[in-house]
């Protein structure tokens, strides 16, 4: 019984985590909409990481997606 409860909790956490990718993308997009003062190199990197995050999210690779999106947010100061 404990195993079933633990498995259910892990499944719910992973589903909730997977659905956070779009929220992270929205936060990045909102910040990009304010024309942040970044170097051209950093801006290109943010856009690349944002695109990678979306691609990985669509492929079901949510851990990798959150990593890329997190890196983009760090560059943006979020």
């Amino acid at each position: 019984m404990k195993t079933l409860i633990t498995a259910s909790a892990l499944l719910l956490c992973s589903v909730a985590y997977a659905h956070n990718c779009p929220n992270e993308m929205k936060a990045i997009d909102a910040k990009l909409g304010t024309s942040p003062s970044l170097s051209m190199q950093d801006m290109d990197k943010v856009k690349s990481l944002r695109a990678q995050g979306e691609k990985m999210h669509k492929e079901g690779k949510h851990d990798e997606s959150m990593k890329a999106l997190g890196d983009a947010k760090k560059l943006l100061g979020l």
Side-chain angles (χ1 to χ4, degrees):
M1 185 64 169
K2 288 181 183 179
T3 304
L4 179 60
I5 292 170
T6 302
S8 297
L10 287 173
L11 179 62
L12 288 173
C13 289
S14 66
V15 169
Y17 189 66
H19 290 298
N20 200 40
C21 298
N23 292 332
E24 298 296 304
M25 288 184 272
K26 286 179 189 175
I28 292 166
D29 293 342
K31 184 68 174 184
L32 288 173
T34 67
S35 301
S37 59
L38 294 175
S39 68
M40 198 62 146
Q41 183 180 5
D42 283 346
M43 183 63 79
D44 289 343
K45 184 158 180 131
V46 166
K47 289 178 180 181
S48 175
L49 288 165
R50 180 5 186 125
Q52 287 175 20
E54 183 172 5
K55 180 179 182 278
M56 288 182 260
H57 171 71
K58 289 179 179 178
E59 293 173 354
K61 300 176 182 176
H62 301 290
D63 289 337
E64 293 94 337
S65 174
M66 291 297 290
K67 167 88 172 77
L69 295 171
D71 290 346
K73 286 178 69 176
K74 283 180 190 173
L75 285 170
L76 287 169
L78 295 175

